[in-house]
Amino acid sequence: MASPLKVGIAGLGTVGASVVRLIDEQRQQLALRTGRPIEVVAVSARSRNKDRGIDMKRLRWVADPVKLANDPGIDAFVELIGGEGGPARAAVTAALKAGKPVVTANKALLARHGIELAELAEKRGVALNFEAAAAGAIPIVKTLREGLAGNSVQRVYGILNGTCNYMLTRMEREKLSFDECLKEAQRLGYAEADPTADVDGLDAAAKAAIIASLAFHTRVGLDDVSVEGIREVTADDIREAHASGCELKLLAIAQRRDDEHAQGVSVRVHPALVPNDHPLASVHGAYNAVLVEAESAGRLMFYGQGAGGAPTASAVLSDVVAAAAHRVHG
């Protein structure tokens, strides 16, 4: 068996700790799938002594994530810090320059600097994998990169923010106000203390930019996405949607445009009326769903958990496995 893939992880929140735990639990199966063991050997986070439910004693601590990215003792770098710049961008850039494959769940970073990082990865001949950045556990990145590589995609759309979908579901089913649902979402951990990215549509917009770039083989940044969140949605809006035979959903929509008015790609995020007989109308709670319309494959739907420690860690681990197997995608 080949030598182990030695992994360094920057960011030990819910997702990072879950990745460490999954690698420990699946050690033997992962080695069989990839032909080599996978070992987390070093980590970096804000607090060294926080109880994360994992054995920290066997992991080497590196306070600076950039130093961890450059550490000669790791073969692959996993970035779970978050944020579109700062230490996340610096650490990912350092790892790629050092010729190390990178796995990230950072949608904000990719939506703002993804093309720059992808070009650097291509120049260095290493992988930049980001399955967890687009739709949690749903394997939409690999689907667009590999499964639909022989298709011309016409449209990709769906529910990409579990927090907003949870809130709209509660508003509809229990006749609660926006503020009541937001407080409950924060209590359950679906929404952050500052919920701006979720409720104003920015989180979904970042994911839509990533998905559109992959689907249409073009450069779509966060500034290219038209965004409207759910902050202004009221109970009356929900009632009117129901009266018209629809569900109100926050949709992300990316589609090819080729008509007399415009050519290119249109990407937008906004509340939309979804007819009750449409597949997306039955997606409730904190779940995500993505529909792809492709020329040869027709309409495909992907449904699953879009957030949370274990689902997101699952997507991160799939990318680590790809790095262990030396799979590199342009």
Side-chain angles (χ1 to χ4, degrees):
M1 187 173 283
S3 60
L5 180 79
K6 296 180 179 179
V7 178
I9 299 179
L12 284 178
T14 304
V15 176
S18 294
V19 171
V20 174
R21 196 175 301 113
L22 280 176
I23 290 175
D24 282 344
E25 292 172 353
Q26 300 184 32
R27 186 177 303 275
Q28 292 184 336
Q29 299 97 311
L30 293 174
L32 289 172
R33 290 174 206 155
T34 63
R36 64 192 299 196
I38 297 175
E39 299 176 359
V40 179
V41 297
V43 295
S44 178
R46 288 180 181 177
S47 171
R48 185 172 187 172
N49 299 316
K50 182 179 177 180
D51 182 9
R52 298 175 171 88
I54 56 176
D55 181 11
M56 295 285 293
K57 294 178 183 178
R58 60 183 177 76
L59 303 174
R60 185 158 50 85
W61 179 267
V62 182
D64 184 352
V66 177
K67 287 185 178 179
L68 176 60
N70 282 311
D71 194 314
I74 69 166
D75 304 312
F77 180 67
V78 178
E79 183 274 309
L80 300 171
I81 303 168
E84 67 179 48
R89 182 185 181 189
V92 168
T93 301
L96 293 173
K97 285 183 176 179
K100 296 173 183 177
V102 169
V103 174
T104 179
N106 192 337
K107 52 194 166 286
L109 173 69
L110 293 169
R112 189 68 69 183
H113 306 291
I115 299 299
E116 164 200 325
L117 296 173
E119 289 174 344
L120 178 57
E122 187 171 1
K123 182 179 179 181
R124 297 296 298 162
V126 294
L128 172 62
N129 292 334
F130 47 90
E131 187 66 73
I138 299 173
I140 191 62
V141 171
K142 288 183 177 64
T143 296
L144 293 171
R145 273 180 161 177
E146 302 169 41
L148 293 175
N151 275 259
S152 174
V153 174
Q154 301 302 309
R155 185 161 70 138
V156 185
Y157 62 106
I159 296 164
L160 296 180
N161 185 274
T163 300
C164 289
N165 204 49
Y166 166 82
M167 291 176 60
L168 291 173
T169 298
R170 292 289 303 275
M171 289 176 72
E172 182 267 316
R173 290 182 174 177
E174 301 176 39
K175 316 303 179 192
L176 300 176
S177 69
F178 173 89
D179 290 336
E180 289 172 317
C181 287
L182 177 57
K183 288 178 182 177
E184 185 65 9
Q186 289 171 321
R187 186 185 70 80
L188 293 172
Y190 292 141
E192 301 289 340
D194 179 0
T196 301
D198 289 321
V199 300
D200 288 343
L202 301 177
D203 173 86
K207 295 173 182 176
I210 294 168
I211 289 173
S213 297
L214 291 171
F216 304 114
H217 310 286
T218 188
R219 300 181 179 215
V220 178
L222 193 53
D223 293 336
D224 300 316
V225 184
S226 173
V227 187
E228 178 187 349
I230 66 167
R231 200 180 286 271
E232 303 303 320
V233 173
T234 66
D236 287 339
D237 295 327
I238 302 286
R239 280 193 293 270
E240 289 178 13
H242 260 251
S244 64
C246 295
E247 294 275 345
L248 190 63
K249 300 290 186 183
L250 181 72
L251 295 189
I253 303 167
Q255 63 188 36
R256 194 183 300 275
R257 297 186 64 184
D258 188 10
D259 55 44
E260 58 181 330
H261 302 294
Q263 291 185 330
V265 174
S266 167
V267 188
R268 61 192 191 274
V269 171
H270 57 80
L273 295 176
V274 178
N276 288 335
D277 60 354
H278 191 281
L280 290 178
S282 60
V283 179
H284 299 297
Y287 278 78
N288 283 189
V290 181
L291 276 84
V292 182
E293 295 178 359
E295 202 166 71
S296 302
R299 187 166 74 172
L300 307 171
M301 180 170 175
F302 303 85
Y303 168 83
Q305 296 186 63
T312 307
S314 168
V316 170
L317 185 52
S318 75
D319 282 343
V320 174
V321 167
H326 298 293
R327 291 199 290 271
V328 179
H329 305 282

